Amino acid sequence: MRYVSTRGGMAPRPFCEILLEGLAPDGGLVVPDHYPKLDPATLERWRPLAYADLAFEVIRLFVDDIPEDDLRALVDRTYTREIFRTEAITPLTTLEPGFHLLRLSNGPTLAFKDIAMQLLGNLFEHVLARTGAELNILGATSGDTGSAAEYAMRGKRGVRVFMLSPHGKMSAFQAAQMYSLQDPNIFNIAIRGVFDECQDIVKAVSGDAQFKARHRIGTVNSINWARIVAQVVYYFRGYFAAIAESGEEVGAPVSFAVPSGNFGNIFAGHIARMMGLPIRALILATNENDVLHEFFSTGRYRVRASAEVVQTSSPSMDIAKASNFERFVYDLVGGAAGVVAALWRQVEEEGGFDLVGTPYLANLQEFGFVSGRSTHADRLATIRDVQQRYGVLVDTHTADGIKVARDYRDPATPMVCLETAQPVKFAEAIREAIGRAPDVPPGYESLESLPQRVEVMDPSVDAVKAFIARHTGD
Ligand SMILES: *Cc1c(COP(=O)(O)O)cnc(C)c1O
């Protein structure tokens, strides 16, 4: 398997060479030069596998430059009961026949991002140990990515993390999770601005090739390819669990509902579908920041200005543009890199593009995507209803997914709603929905009263560069 750029300007490279990047030198995103295709016999063989075994089978198809024994050991070390506090790693809860919740948030930071990030931590350690190199990870987070990255990298040899977050815009629990870490290799930087300003700073710093090389900067943000690959695994796991619940055979269609922001999670579902997993619909749910719903319902992609981004009660989906979306468009235009490059020139110059009247819009149907939008009132009503009806408390993001899933429910097709975080991370909204705070899981009781370590800064590329330079010892 080799990786190329969505914009065509990168010679094919193997997995380990793109592991620390995500962004190709031509400004595009790295993508595999093909998707592995599975036959029904392989799906049948994968069906009974435990999570780590399944993860190894899926991931090895995308990684051919790590020896199989090493990869096996690394995957086994990642997907354990100790880290994910459940044997199943991603257990399926049936809310009612044919309507399920796939629980992805049992890792250390109580959000689905741990599933990919824990693997990434072990991959980084492996690759760095091989080369003896050091790595300074620079990232931007609206809450869940940053903490997942920090918990995956804390104490890892040769790795430092510099994580930018929007000052005062995360929930108290999310902020405490990150800022309470005292590990000397973890640096939290709170930017007086919104998430997209943090992301722009990361892009600007990474775009300075000289600075990037000198300070050995890498990223773990949502465009990181290894994260996407790790997320493909649970679509298979969720599929097998859902058909088992309904007594169906391999081959029966299943739909997935995914609360979406940067299009990473649902893009992994798209890959699983391209590999041959019988996914009928990929249901994309946005909150009030509906860039993606607008595209999938109209064919128009319009990036929002930072000032247009609304702060919502599902903050991990408060985005102005969807960073992984370019990867999907590459598939939508049949891998025509020149077309992708032209479309993203248009994004830069005019703030978006319109596929209405192009042949590509017709292709959209073939990929199984449908979309919907959920609002603050919708998510509160959904949290309340799911709690009353099934006795299950879900977080605000998961509620957005369930809300839109219900709008598209087809009784003949099992529906799997992805649970992306635990309610305790968004306690304020839960209290508003059900009149009481969510239970705090064991081990997290005193988190918010721990001392915090964070540097607050204006949105300045130079200030961030200076901070990194000061703390990397050269
Ligand atoms: C990151 C996140 C999302 C959005 O996922 P994308 O991969 O960015 O689409 C949804 N819910 C939660 C809780 C998240 O942390």
Side-chain angles (χ1 to χ4, degrees):
M1 177 72 72
R2 290 293 176 269
Y3 292 88
V4 296
S5 167
T6 49
R7 299 187 197 172
M10 181 178 98
R13 295 166 73 184
F15 179 83
C16 287
E17 286 184 22
I18 57 121
L19 172 63
L20 305 179
E21 312 278 336
L23 201 63
D26 63 354
L29 300 182
V30 298
V31 284
D33 60 3
H34 69 282
Y35 292 124
K37 292 273 192 270
L38 306 171
D39 52 25
T42 306
L43 285 178
E44 200 61 65
R45 189 166 59 76
W46 285 7
R47 177 179 181 155
L49 296 183
Y51 195 93
D53 298 330
L54 180 63
F56 172 68
E57 294 292 341
V58 173
I59 294 165
R60 75 204 280 236
L61 297 176
F62 293 92
V63 181
D64 52 19
D65 55 343
I66 294 180
E68 292 226 326
D69 289 350
D70 291 350
L71 186 64
R72 171 93 245 182
L74 199 149
V75 168
D76 283 348
R77 202 159 66 237
T78 305
Y79 299 109
T80 67
R81 193 193 169 85
E82 291 65 48
I83 296 173
F84 290 94
R85 294 175 307 157
T86 135
E87 203 64 59
I89 310 297
T90 60
L92 189 85
T93 298
T94 295
L95 297 177
E96 63 180 56
F99 198 61
H100 314 279
L101 202 56
L102 185 64
R103 316 198 89 155
L104 306 178
S105 55
N106 294 310
T109 72
L110 309 179
F112 82 102
K113 294 192 169 75
D114 287 324
I115 294 181
M117 214 61 92
Q118 289 288 323
L119 180 77
L120 206 59
N122 288 326
L123 281 169
F124 280 5
E125 202 170 48
H126 175 85
V127 170
L128 293 173
R130 226 161 58 170
T131 58
E134 272 190 15
L135 175 66
N136 292 305
I137 292 168
L138 175 64
T141 187
S142 56
D144 295 329
T145 306
S147 56
E150 292 180 356
Y151 282 76
M153 307 297 166
R154 62 191 293 205
K156 288 261 188 291
R157 280 173 81 100
V159 182
R160 289 188 199 88
V161 178
F162 295 89
M163 190 55 65
L164 276 55
S165 53
H167 182 52
K169 303 241 173 13
M170 297 187 294
S171 75
F173 188 93
Q174 284 180 310
Q177 262 190 330
M178 293 178 55
Y179 302 162
S180 67
L181 286 180
Q182 302 293 333
D183 305 68
N185 70 328
I186 305 293
F187 299 93
N188 284 300
I189 302 173
I191 296 291
R192 294 187 190 93
V194 297
F195 166 68
D196 287 280
E197 291 174 282
C198 300
Q199 205 172 29
D200 286 343
I201 294 174
V202 169
K203 280 206 174 147
V205 175
S206 306
D208 178 341
Q210 213 179 345
F211 185 89
K212 189 178 169 195
R214 169 138 179 248
H215 296 282
R216 300 166 307 275
I217 302 285
T219 59
V220 293
N221 55 23
S222 61
I223 60 171
N224 183 284
W225 174 255
R227 285 181 60 187
I228 307 270
V229 172
Q231 294 176 165
V232 173
V233 178
Y234 53 71
Y235 283 88
F236 284 90
R237 198 54 249 143
Y239 174 83
F240 294 133
I243 60 166
E245 282 290 299
S246 0
E248 310 257 15
E249 296 303 319
V250 165
V254 170
S255 293
F256 285 84
V258 190
S260 298
N262 273 316
F263 205 76
N265 195 354
I266 200 164
F267 185 68
H270 161 75
I271 295 173
R273 193 170 180 276
M274 298 296 274
M275 290 169 73
L277 190 68
I279 296 177
R280 175 157 291 163
L282 283 166
I283 296 158
L284 182 150
T286 70
N287 64 17
E288 290 87 338
N289 298 292
D290 57 358
V291 184
L292 287 168
H293 171 54
E294 182 172 274
F295 175 77
F296 283 99
S297 55
T298 68
R300 240 183 12 246
Y301 182 63
R302 184 176 66 83
V303 168
R304 310 295 195 251
S306 292
E308 272 182 276
V309 178
V310 232
Q311 198 183 329
T312 74
S313 47
S314 44
S316 299
M317 292 150 62
D318 293 348
I319 49 102
K321 53 189 173 255
S323 24
N324 275 295
F325 182 60
E326 182 171 339
R327 287 188 164 121
F328 174 70
V329 172
Y330 179 77
D331 288 343
L332 186 66
V333 303
V339 174
V340 177
L343 288 174
W344 259 265
R345 245 189 328 273
Q346 229 175 310
V347 169
E348 256 145 54
E349 286 160 12
E350 299 158 31
F353 54 77
D354 189 345
L355 296 186
V356 176
T358 71
Y360 308 122
L361 203 55
N363 297 348
L364 204 51
Q365 315 306 321
E366 283 170 33
F367 291 97
F369 279 88
V370 291
S371 70
R373 174 183 195 270
S374 167
T375 63
H376 182 68
D378 291 325
R379 78 185 66 94
L380 294 190
T382 304
I383 290 168
R384 211 159 31 234
D385 182 77
V386 168
Q387 157 82 6
Q388 278 164 5
R389 206 179 285 256
Y390 311 115
V392 173
L393 189 61
V394 294
D395 94 292
T396 47
H397 307 74
T398 307
D400 287 331
I402 294 174
K403 191 271 168 191
V404 178
R406 283 174 158 173
D407 294 342
Y408 282 104
R409 181 92 195 272
D410 145 26
T413 311
M415 172 82 76
V416 176
C417 301
L418 301 193
E419 180 217 48
T420 55
Q422 292 203 18
V424 69
K425 297 195 89 167
F426 307 97
E428 299 85 36
I430 300 294
R431 191 191 297 276
E432 199 182 335
I434 61 166
R436 66 169 178 84
D439 295 337
V440 179
Y444 294 83
E445 296 86 350
S446 59
L447 186 72
E448 287 176 42
S449 54
L450 295 175
Q452 301 195 351
R453 185 165 151 263
V454 57
E455 181 89 8
V456 183
M457 279 185 206
D458 285 329
S460 150
V461 174
D462 288 337
V464 170
K465 279 182 172 173
F467 184 86
I468 294 172
R470 245 191 345 270
H471 292 91
T472 52
D474 50 18

